[in-house]
Amino acid sequence: MAISYMTKEGYKKKMEEIAYLENVKRPEISRAIAEARDKGDLSENAEYDAAKEAQGMLEMKISQLKDLVASARIIDESKLNTEEVQLLNTVTIKNLGNGATMKYTIVTESEANLREGKLSCKTPIAAGLMGHKVGEVVEVKAPAGVMKFEILNIEI
């Protein structure tokens, strides 16, 4: 089982998701299965088959989340610094190709969410920035080709 790194916030969100799936979604699916079973012949009951399939998918999701949190290590945020780009830093970068300025927080894969500006540490851009300092120009090999970024700011 691979170790997964999470923030306290990310761990809390995963635990809340598990509780929701177990306490809300699981009973809903159980009710749907019972209702479908009450309709008679199960061999030709599409509602029953769909409810059983949904139950299987839900149980798989719960199991995956439990495995994730069981192997989680909480990142000690008190040890973070802004000397160089590292996990949980918020980095402001400038794309030297088009002049666009972007701001991302580098997070673990399980917490990545581009709409919230949270970039997975496994992406080419985040991986390329790691370990570099403000003012440095970093070349990143991305699917679109080599891109150059200047690190403008690093914050916690």
Side-chain angles (χ1 to χ4, degrees):
M1 185 181 302
I3 292 174
S4 56
Y5 293 93
M6 293 184 182
T7 60
K8 285 181 191 163
E9 174 191 345
Y11 183 82
K12 182 176 173 245
K13 280 183 180 177
K14 295 296 179 197
M15 293 303 287
E16 288 170 355
E17 185 177 358
I18 290 169
Y20 172 75
L21 293 175
E22 288 182 331
N23 301 322
V24 177
K25 297 306 279 181
R26 187 183 272 162
E28 284 177 7
I29 290 176
S30 293
R31 280 192 296 280
I33 289 171
E35 286 174 23
R37 195 180 305 121
D38 290 344
K39 291 182 179 171
D41 184 11
L42 297 182
S43 65
E44 295 180 19
N45 190 330
E47 283 180 52
Y48 179 78
D49 292 341
K52 287 298 280 183
E53 186 174 329
Q55 181 184 41
M57 298 294 281
L58 176 72
E59 294 303 327
M60 186 173 72
K61 175 93 172 150
I62 291 170
S63 177
Q64 288 172 339
L65 285 168
K66 284 185 171 184
D67 286 348
L68 181 69
V69 296
S71 67
R73 299 292 177 269
I74 307 298
I75 298 166
D76 183 351
E77 296 180 43
S78 69
K79 294 197 164 111
L80 297 178
N81 68 63
T82 57
E83 292 294 309
E84 58 186 36
V85 178
Q86 61 183 358
L87 202 58
L88 299 185
N89 281 153
T90 298
V91 185
T92 305
I93 56 175
K94 181 177 185 180
N95 182 331
L96 298 180
N98 62 16
T101 300
M102 298 156 286
K103 188 174 187 175
Y104 297 113
T105 301
I106 299 177
V107 297
T108 62
E109 268 186 302
S110 65
E111 296 179 63
N113 184 333
L114 211 47
R115 282 193 302 273
E116 295 176 7
K118 294 179 177 181
L119 192 63
S120 166
C121 58
K122 303 281 186 188
T123 62
I125 292 174
L129 295 173
M130 297 289 255
H132 291 278
K133 298 175 175 16
V134 171
E136 288 187 39
V137 174
V138 179
E139 285 190 6
V140 174
K141 287 186 180 115
V146 176
M147 302 166 77
K148 289 185 180 183
F149 296 100
E150 180 182 357
I151 300 172
L152 303 177
N153 190 28
I154 302 170
E155 50 192 294
I156 294 177

